[in-house]
Amino acid sequence: MQNKFDVVIIGSGLGGLVSANILAKEGKKVCVLEKNNQFGGNLQTFVRDKSIFDTGIHYIGGLDKGQNLHQYFTYLDIMDDLKIKRMDIDSYDVITFDDDEVEYPHAQGYDNFVEQLVALFPEERMGIEAYTKKVKDTCYKFPLYNLEPGDRYYGEDLLTLKAKDYINSVVKDPKLRAVLAGSNLLYAGDPDKTPFYVHALSINSYIESAWRCIQGGSQIAKLLVKRIRELGGTVLKYQEVDSFAIEEKEVVSVSTTKGDTFFADNFISNVDPKLTLQIIGKEHFRNLYYKRIQNSESIISSFSIYIVFKSGTFPYVNKNYYHTNTIDKVWTTQEYSEENWPEAYLISMNEDLKNPGYADNLTSIAYMRFEETKPWENTFNTVAIENDRGEDYEAFKQRKIEAYIKEIEKKFPDIRSCIKSVHTSTPLSYRDYIGCYEGSMYGFAKDADNPMKSFLSPRTKIPNLLFTGQGLNMHGVLGVTISAVVTCGELLGKEYLLQKIKDTLAEKELSDS
């Protein structure tokens, strides 16, 4: 098979699909190549015991009318068809600790967020208000998060202010400090590195509004694929790109393991930048550029357990739990030892639609370093390629499941009697299915002491090859959507594209009124 396109996009994660949608809207002949059986990267879902689980999208923020992600999804023509449910207004997330029965809420709406915490920490009102103002002000300084023209804002202490330092500067109560930082599994916060802007951009859209995807986040990928095809685009699965043809320092085509070749004027990689460069070959890049990307610190990976419940046994709550053993560990649980793992976890549930009030399933995520799975790093396992990792690997997972459930039992003492079955994902699962380097949760780590080190331009050193996805800008649904806008702006013109998005929204508003 030989095909010629305007743009070939490698990888069908959210960044790749949004890029394809934008370019197809502009009349470009686009083709998306996906190695797996399912489109969507972190949007993928899977089924165990007739129960649907999300790979990475456990909730979404900013989807209320007029909010940023609502506007982007409206432009992409998928907003009206999403099946979503608003989470608990007064506590979409709760932060909890061992030996403390209080569930500390993160509430929707900034005023509500403040009041819910002031009720528990009355003497800290000024600090909580200063904190929320700083979150809003920080997000305002990133133009594309507000559909405004302009590059990233560089000034004052925006990129160099550390999240932990700022929170500690406005809040005195050690427990409240831990509560404000308690959901840092959202961005893998590091006390010595993570900038406050990463914290702010990660939580702002949830405070604005927080939603669950009914029957999973894969609906976003399915809707995007449908729209791309309606616009004349091509989206193919089982097409793993394994080589790039370079002529006169530009990419002319990519070939896949199926033996097919795809030609284009421009190429966008939605695959992890480290892996992209490895596939192309270091000889096509300046040594300094290649080394800089390969040596960039990738964020830690994770281990997830997926519990299917016996029907009508486990009460459903319309919120997430972020649990840390003790308040002094909130920033340091990545540094776990095998004996005390997991020191922190996220719990997210889905309601049983046939049995309202009860949970159908539960997903829980904890940090895990890739090195724990190193004995099996040369095995690969996807729907397309089944590779038995062996009895040792299964025993490793069982040990982890048992340690994990023992930890969750401290919070939910009766959970074991409700379990029908338990399933897992390890760093190897994320590496193989999502295509992220060593199963990294969120791309490259941001460092307030060296802010430009992890900055990655959408333009690579090959003129017609661009990056998109979580390695480029910020992770999360909103961050990756914006990364696609940034990437497509390089091909279409940044100001032109932003104006086009605004014009589309204005037309939609007019037709709805």
Side-chain angles (χ1 to χ4, degrees):
M1 183 195 290
Q2 287 197 355
N3 296 282
K4 178 69 165 74
F5 296 90
D6 294 321
V7 186
V8 163
I9 297 167
I10 301 122
S12 75
L14 180 62
L17 293 178
V18 172
S19 297
N21 182 304
I22 292 170
L23 295 168
K25 277 178 179 289
E26 294 299 313
K28 301 291 184 187
K29 188 181 179 187
V30 299
C31 175
V32 182
L33 302 174
E34 169 56 48
K35 72 173 183 175
N36 282 320
N37 167 57
Q38 196 180 148
F39 300 119
N42 268 318
L43 297 171
Q44 292 177 66
T45 53
F46 59 94
V47 177
R48 295 290 182 272
D49 266 343
K50 300 179 182 176
S51 191
I52 298 171
F53 289 96
D54 274 292
T55 301
I57 306 300
H58 302 101
Y59 60 148
I60 306 178
L63 282 182
D64 219 355
K65 193 158 186 180
Q67 292 173 355
N68 44 23
L69 193 58
H70 186 285
Q71 292 186 53
Y72 279 116
F73 277 9
T74 298
Y75 162 71
L76 296 167
D77 197 24
I78 65 171
M79 188 63 228
D80 290 346
D81 292 323
L82 284 181
K83 295 179 177 66
I84 54 176
K85 173 184 179 177
R86 193 161 198 148
M87 296 177 71
D88 191 314
I89 294 284
D90 292 336
S91 55
Y92 67 90
D93 282 345
V94 289
I95 312 302
T96 61
F97 308 97
D98 282 359
D99 304 321
D100 185 347
E101 291 182 3
V102 178
E103 295 184 345
Y104 298 91
H106 286 189
Q108 297 183 53
Y110 273 96
D111 290 345
N112 193 26
F113 185 95
V114 170
E115 294 308 321
Q116 294 294 332
L117 286 177
V118 167
L120 294 166
F121 301 96
E123 72 290 350
E124 291 278 12
R125 177 179 284 276
M126 282 181 62
I128 297 167
E129 288 177 344
Y131 164 80
T132 54
K133 184 177 185 301
K134 185 72 168 178
V135 170
K136 286 189 279 189
D137 289 350
T138 299
C139 293
Y140 181 74
K141 290 172 180 174
F142 286 80
L144 282 175
Y145 278 74
N146 309 286
L147 279 84
E148 295 297 332
D151 290 324
R152 291 177 181 217
Y153 179 93
Y154 295 104
E156 299 177 302
D157 57 0
L158 182 70
L159 302 182
T160 57
L161 177 66
K162 293 175 185 174
K164 184 186 179 188
D165 289 352
Y166 179 75
I167 291 170
N168 288 1
S169 75
V170 293
V171 167
K172 293 185 172 60
D173 189 307
K175 183 148 278 181
L176 179 56
R177 289 174 173 178
V179 168
L180 293 176
S183 61
N184 75 16
L185 262 160
L186 273 173
Y187 52 91
D190 182 304
D192 302 318
K193 293 180 180 177
T194 300
F196 183 78
Y197 80 83
V198 171
H199 171 87
L201 292 174
S202 295
I203 67 163
N204 170 66
S205 59
Y206 295 114
I207 296 175
E208 288 183 339
S209 66
W211 309 78
R212 282 214 200 287
C213 285
I214 299 167
Q215 300 282 282
S218 62
Q219 59 178 300
I220 299 170
K222 287 169 185 170
L223 287 169
L224 285 167
V225 168
K226 185 181 177 187
R227 297 290 179 264
I228 293 161
R229 287 172 172 160
E230 287 169 354
L231 292 162
T234 302
V235 192
L236 303 172
K237 59 176 75 169
Y238 300 122
Q239 289 284 8
E240 182 177 359
V241 171
D242 64 352
S243 68
F244 288 67
I246 313 281
E247 292 178 11
E248 296 180 5
K249 297 187 177 178
E250 290 203 346
V251 183
V252 293
S253 67
V254 293
S255 297
T256 66
T257 51
K258 282 181 79 171
D260 296 331
T261 302
F262 298 84
F263 293 82
D265 298 323
N266 289 286
F267 296 80
I268 297 173
S269 178
N270 189 204
V271 176
D272 186 292
K274 290 186 182 185
L275 301 175
T276 302
L277 266 56
Q278 288 170 17
I279 295 168
I280 294 169
K282 65 189 298 184
E283 65 275 14
H284 295 294
F285 300 94
R286 271 188 259 157
N287 201 28
L288 198 64
Y289 179 76
Y290 187 87
K291 270 188 175 175
R292 182 190 152 224
I293 289 182
Q294 296 302 327
N295 293 336
S296 293
E297 182 189 353
S298 292
I299 280 170
I300 193 169
S301 187
S302 60
F303 182 94
S304 300
I305 61 170
Y306 309 98
I307 295 173
V308 181
F309 290 121
K310 298 169 189 170
S311 182
T313 61
F314 196 84
Y316 170 75
V317 291
N318 196 24
K319 60 186 77 173
N320 300 318
Y321 287 86
Y322 284 89
H323 185 82
T324 309
N325 288 358
T326 58
I327 62 170
D328 59 326
K329 289 282 183 72
V330 160
W331 288 104
T332 59
T333 57
Q334 297 184 41
E335 299 162 12
Y336 65 87
S337 64
E338 190 163 354
E339 297 74 41
N340 61 19
W341 179 90
E343 292 186 320
Y345 56 78
L346 157 66
I347 280 180
S348 182
M349 302 179 204
N350 286 310
E351 190 170 21
D352 186 345
L353 299 180
K354 295 176 183 173
N355 204 347
Y358 288 94
D360 177 44
N361 63 41
L362 175 154
T363 298
S364 190
I365 303 169
Y367 294 130
M368 180 176 278
R369 292 184 290 271
F370 183 78
E371 67 194 47
E372 288 210 56
T373 58
K374 266 221 176 269
W376 309 279
E377 68 175 329
N378 294 323
T379 64
F380 292 86
N381 200 341
T382 65
V383 172
I385 307 167
E386 288 209 34
N387 194 323
D388 183 6
R389 302 198 207 269
E391 289 180 14
D392 287 351
Y393 182 68
E394 293 305 316
F396 164 79
K397 290 196 294 184
Q398 285 305 316
R399 283 198 309 276
K400 294 298 179 182
I401 288 170
E402 184 55 32
Y404 209 135
I405 292 177
K406 272 186 182 171
E407 201 60 39
I408 294 176
E409 278 181 303
K410 294 178 188 175
K411 182 75 193 159
F412 301 100
D414 301 324
I415 190 169
R416 209 178 281 260
S417 65
C418 305
I419 293 173
K420 183 180 180 185
S421 61
V422 182
H423 313 273
T424 63
S425 291
T426 74
L428 294 174
S429 317
Y430 291 109
R431 180 199 67 181
D432 294 354
Y433 279 92
I434 312 301
C436 39
Y437 179 77
E438 292 191 345
S440 170
M441 293 171 80
Y442 307 125
F444 295 151
K446 307 291 191 290
D447 187 347
D449 287 333
N450 194 349
M452 297 310 294
K453 188 178 178 184
S454 61
F455 173 75
L456 191 62
S457 167
R459 289 273 178 199
T460 72
K461 299 303 179 184
I462 295 175
N464 68 334
L465 172 68
L466 296 97
F467 288 133
T468 198
Q470 68 176 9
L472 179 60
N473 190 310
M474 274 284 290
H475 60 276
V477 175
L478 177 61
V480 171
T481 298
I482 290 171
S483 86
V485 173
V486 171
T487 300
C488 293
E490 294 289 329
L491 296 176
L492 302 170
K494 296 172 192 174
E495 289 183 14
Y496 166 83
L497 177 55
L498 205 56
Q499 193 57 51
K500 201 71 185 278
I501 293 170
K502 288 184 169 183
D503 290 346
T504 302
L505 293 171
E507 287 166 21
K508 171 84 171 153
E509 216 167 274
L510 201 62
S511 68
D512 287 349
S513 62

